[in-house]
Amino acid sequence: MSLDKFQQHFQKMPGPSFYYDLDQFEKRLQSLNSPEIKTWYAMKANPLSSFVELANQNHWGLDCASLGEVNHCLNHGVSPENILITGPAKSYEYFKTLIEKGISTFVIESENQLKWLADLKPEANVLIRFQKNDWKYQGFNVLGGSKHTQFGLSLEDWKEINPSQYNLNFLGFHIFQWGNILDKDQLIDVWDEIFSQVNLWEKELNIKTKVLDLGGGLGIPYEGEKELHPDFIKESLAYLKQKHNIPEVWLELGRYLSGPVGNYLVNIIDIKRSSGVDMIILEGGINHLVRPVFANQSFPCRDLNNNETQKYKVYGPLCTSLDYLGEFQLSKDLKPGDSLAFEMVGAYGFTESMPYFLCHDLPAEVVYQNNEFTVKRENLGPESWMR
Ligand SMILES: *Cc1c(COP(=O)(O)O)cnc(C)c1O
């Protein structure tokens, strides 16, 4: 484990810092390369240029959901045909800009999107995004699950619209409603439910399926569970593809790739005992890592004293009781100035957070590759953005 090395480097950093192990990221990319699936890196999980470049070099496409993401990819060597456009908000102007940049593959989520794209670029490659509202599978997650959301439309809605009347190159279907699934059986239940509906969709909409895009949603072990093995993913999809006679399966993965390769290192400012509770106050909190509040799930946390442990509640520096990162077993002999490491923060970490609140420094982002550290962004102070 490279945490010791990160900790040594962190001694020299002036403030809270994210460390990303790029060798590990590359291994994860390669572990899923297979002739059975076409893979896209969903860069919203972590858009740092190093991740985009490595995904591109390892023959992954890039799943982009904003012009900012698209421009970032194009600026870092990704060619437009390796970009897939997702996301519910696509205006006529946005399509126009993307087409001018040479982008040709789009996930379509509304009737307007169909009209605008067919008008701007007849024969563009499209996938129709489905919102399935009759799931047998039940659960909760940020993508909505069986809840009504802004993503795509239902079969009934698409039937009324009749997409095949538009002059576009229909590749097939996109569906993604369940995130962070870690249990093998649950994953297969969800995928099997999708695969077994595709024949119905193509018949009802008169669109021949060349591609089924399952989105992302592979989970990672935030709470010490067992990891999903890449071979299991590849083998399951190869099997389902054959069983249901689907020529191509696409995955857009974020969390599974980048999550486990990130660590957030942060110093302890203070330790105190309040009404019988031992508390640690850190230099950075939900301003740099907001996900524990959104998802009601902590990132794993460790210290490197490796001594006898006790329970602590761990808080960030913000003046809101929301700034709570979780309860952890940590060394009894911790003191102000020691550091803590949060693991699994490589996805939905820095860019999902709220770094401007209370005008603290931005966290640094540091990459580790071939035994070398590179600081991609320093701890920028508020003078760099406050107006
Ligand atoms: C967020 C997102 C993904 C990535 O999801 P993960 O759960 O991180 O793998 C893929 N596709 C779309 C359309 C998304 O919005």
Side-chain angles (χ1 to χ4, degrees):
M1 180 74 203
S2 32
L3 197 54
D4 290 330
K5 264 183 260 167
F6 296 163
Q7 199 97 7
Q8 272 173 26
H9 186 274
F10 180 58
Q11 310 290 326
K12 295 176 292 191
M13 295 299 288
S17 303
F18 283 87
Y19 283 85
Y20 305 119
D21 183 337
L22 296 183
D23 298 326
Q24 202 193 340
F25 180 68
E26 190 162 26
K27 271 194 209 127
R28 296 183 76 81
L29 289 165
Q30 289 168 355
S31 75
L32 280 170
N33 280 347
S34 151
E36 298 288 352
I37 14 174
K38 166 138 187 69
T39 47
W40 305 83
Y41 175 49
M43 64 181 286
K44 79 164 189 275
N46 193 326
L48 192 72
S49 53
S50 314
F51 288 85
V52 170
E53 287 164 354
L54 275 174
N56 188 41
Q57 285 158 21
N58 283 277
H59 315 294
W60 284 59
L62 277 295
D63 163 7
C64 297
S66 71
L67 188 56
E69 290 189 347
V70 168
N71 286 336
H72 189 60
C73 281
L74 295 174
N75 291 338
H76 286 91
V78 180
S79 55
E81 66 273 16
N82 292 328
I83 292 177
L84 171 66
I85 303 296
T86 63
K90 305 185 193 79
S91 66
Y92 188 88
E93 285 305 314
Y94 180 44
F95 276 122
K96 193 156 175 268
T97 307
L98 295 173
I99 288 159
E100 282 161 10
K101 289 175 187 286
I103 289 165
S104 52
T105 311
F106 305 84
V107 172
I108 292 292
E109 310 214 11
S110 74
E111 185 171 20
N112 283 326
Q113 291 187 7
L114 277 174
K115 275 189 196 150
W116 293 335
L117 185 58
D119 179 44
L120 285 160
K121 181 138 176 84
E123 296 299 326
N125 301 317
V126 300
L127 294 145
I128 294 291
R129 185 161 186 177
F130 262 83
Q131 182 166 159
K132 194 171 129 52
N133 46 24
D134 55 354
W135 290 95
K136 289 199 266 325
Y137 178 79
Q138 289 302 324
F140 169 80
N141 70 84
V142 284
L143 279 143
S146 36
K147 221 178 83 197
H148 186 254
T149 66
Q150 71 271 46
F151 306 118
L153 294 170
S154 70
L155 176 60
E156 293 68 38
D157 300 322
W158 282 125
K159 263 165 65 180
E160 253 171 60
I161 292 166
N162 187 20
S164 65
Q165 67 177 297
Y166 291 91
N167 183 19
L168 292 164
N169 179 30
F170 291 94
L171 298 180
F173 305 105
H174 178 289
I175 178 162
F176 175 33
Q177 286 170 246
W178 301 95
N180 196 20
I181 299 184
L182 191 54
D183 184 277
K184 278 177 165 181
D185 296 333
Q186 288 182 3
L187 191 63
I188 295 301
D189 284 351
V190 167
W191 281 349
D192 202 38
E193 227 183 303
I194 295 170
F195 273 89
S196 46
Q197 296 229 314
V198 173
N199 295 123
L200 175 70
W201 298 345
E202 58 178 12
K203 212 164 67 223
E204 298 272 19
L205 298 183
N206 195 23
I207 290 173
K208 184 88 197 90
T209 314
K210 296 183 206 87
V211 173
L212 174 61
D213 183 341
L214 295 165
L218 302 185
I220 55 173
Y222 290 110
E223 296 171 36
E225 308 92 328
K226 204 162 159 329
E227 271 218 83
L228 279 171
H229 197 285
D231 291 343
F232 169 77
I233 295 157
K234 290 186 283 193
E235 284 159 18
S236 306
L237 289 174
Y239 168 78
L240 287 167
K241 226 174 104 181
Q242 203 193 15
K243 179 175 157 197
H244 296 278
N245 196 20
I246 308 287
E248 265 187 62
V249 169
W250 292 3
L251 284 181
E252 305 154 359
L253 297 180
R255 187 191 315 274
Y256 185 81
L257 296 171
S258 60
V261 315
N263 294 270
Y264 171 75
L265 274 65
V266 56
N267 282 330
I268 297 174
I269 299 287
D270 202 358
I271 301 187
K272 64 183 177 185
R273 190 170 171 84
S274 163
S275 305
V277 178
D278 288 306
M279 309 167 85
I280 291 178
I281 313 290
L282 297 174
E283 192 180 2
I286 63 170
N287 49 335
H288 299 166
L289 275 186
V290 81
R291 187 179 173 276
V293 177
F294 287 167
N296 194 23
Q297 178 178 52
S298 299
F299 287 109
C301 179
R302 299 174 43 186
D303 67 82
L304 286 187
N305 292 16
N306 292 323
N307 276 322
E308 201 188 331
T309 62
Q310 64 163 82
K311 253 187 205 162
Y312 293 95
K313 289 197 171 196
V314 177
Y315 295 87
L318 305 183
C319 301
T320 161
S321 61
L322 285 175
D323 196 4
Y324 171 62
L325 295 174
E327 186 170 49
F328 306 101
Q329 282 294 135
L330 297 164
S331 294
K332 275 183 173 170
D333 59 355
L334 284 172
K335 55 186 187 313
D338 288 346
S339 50
L340 297 184
F342 290 84
E343 300 172 303
M344 305 261 163
V345 301
Y348 308 115
F350 169 58
T351 61
E352 193 184 272
S353 297
M354 39 189 284
Y356 302 125
F357 195 38
L358 270 114
C359 308
H360 289 282
D361 287 2
L362 300 188
E365 289 192 293
V366 184
V367 297
Y368 176 76
Q369 190 174 28
N370 293 327
N371 295 310
E372 257 182 57
F373 287 97
T374 310
V375 178
K376 301 293 282 188
R377 189 188 54 254
E378 309 279 348
N379 297 91
L380 293 179
E383 66 285 352
S384 67
W385 54 267
M386 282 183 81
R387 299 292 179 268

